[in-house]
Amino acid sequence: MRHSDDHADHDHDHHHDNHYSDMQARVKALETLLTEKGLIDPAAIDAIVETYETKVGPRNGAHVVAKAWSDADFAAWLKRDATAAIASLGFTGRQGEHMRAVFNTPETHNLIVCTLCSCYPWSVLGLPPVWYKAPAYRSRAVIDPRGVLAEFGLALPEEKKIRVWDSTAELRYLVIPERPDGTDGMDEAALASLVSRDAMIGTAIAGSWKVSAAGSSTISAADSPEARP
């Protein structure tokens, strides 16, 4: 399935401590209520959170990117068979069974979306951000990818082509951003620290943490229930 700029083929009331935000307090209240009713096990919830915070998430994808930047053989393998190359690093499982890596170049920038729902490679990027699942992003990334990227603070040269890849239940994508200049002497751990989640979706470039955060807020706010007609 292809779209474009160039869209390529392709997923109480409960008293709470002052240090909780309103959302945290609501979550805590719900967790307490469900625990009291015996419907959830707090230890199981903690284990799930720990898994996504330390074992599954953007740091996994960043490690894949850093290895591709520093190891030409691995990069070639990643292009041929991303599923196997990523699995060789121990990153596999739910929502990451079938992967394809798309490489940014000086001529082409890649952007990932899922137009049907929110298919997303959990094994390398963790849980999807709210804006990735929002109808505004899912539709506009296809129709006006350059405009969407501008809202994220990423203004690309007009001559750079943008390819939009539509994830499906069968295939998910990982953007390999361009390696920043001046990083030749950095080891893989240092390189990985330059790679944000948004850079691996395509809404930022490597090293652009502030740009990434600003863009995420823009899209999320634009699609909040309060903003909808």
Side-chain angles (χ1 to χ4, degrees):
M1 183 175 184
R2 294 181 180 270
H3 305 273
S4 210
D5 210 277
D6 175 17
H7 180 181
D9 44 337
H10 12 171
D11 296 94
H12 159 213
D13 96 311
H14 182 82
H15 178 73
H16 57 84
D17 296 334
N18 290 334
H19 67 276
Y20 288 136
S21 68
D22 287 345
M23 181 59 71
Q24 288 172 326
R26 291 176 187 176
V27 171
K28 187 67 176 177
L30 180 59
E31 180 181 347
T32 299
L33 180 62
L34 293 176
T35 300
E36 290 173 351
K37 290 180 176 294
L39 297 175
I40 64 170
D41 178 358
I45 298 297
D46 289 344
I48 293 171
V49 171
E50 171 71 10
T51 294
Y52 279 95
E53 285 185 343
T54 65
K55 298 178 182 178
V56 179
R59 60 174 56 85
N60 294 350
H63 182 55
V64 174
V65 172
K67 189 166 183 64
W69 283 347
S70 56
D71 184 337
D73 289 339
F74 181 79
W77 186 13
L78 196 59
K79 289 179 181 178
R80 291 194 313 272
D81 187 348
T83 304
I86 292 170
S88 74
L89 300 178
F91 309 141
T92 187
R94 183 168 181 164
Q95 309 298 330
E97 297 92 340
H98 306 288
M99 294 290 303
R100 179 173 178 181
V102 290
F103 288 67
N104 285 351
T105 69
E107 295 77 29
T108 302
H109 182 89
N110 296 286
L111 178 65
I112 308 305
V113 68
C114 179
T115 56
L116 294 180
C117 50
S118 58
C119 293
Y120 190 79
W122 293 10
S123 59
V124 286
L125 293 185
L127 297 175
V130 172
W131 56 261
Y132 183 85
K133 300 181 287 184
Y137 176 78
R138 287 160 45 200
S139 61
R140 292 182 55 225
V142 172
I143 298 169
D144 181 23
R146 198 173 296 273
V148 167
L149 291 179
E151 290 186 23
F152 278 85
L154 182 56
L156 297 175
E158 286 298 324
E159 62 271 17
K160 177 167 283 196
K161 181 168 68 174
I162 301 172
R163 301 191 72 184
V164 181
W165 302 82
D166 198 346
S167 296
T168 69
E170 290 75 36
L171 184 62
R172 289 167 170 78
Y173 297 90
L174 176 69
V175 172
I176 308 301
E178 291 183 84
R179 180 171 177 166
D181 294 335
T183 61
D184 291 347
M186 298 175 68
D187 62 17
E188 285 187 22
L191 288 171
S193 72
L194 302 176
V195 184
S196 69
R197 174 201 66 198
D198 290 9
M200 294 180 285
I201 298 174
T203 55
I205 58 176
S208 59
W209 292 98
K210 291 183 180 179
V211 168
S212 170
S216 299
S217 298
T218 301
I219 293 293
S220 180
D223 193 58
S224 66
E226 294 79 10
R228 294 175 192 160

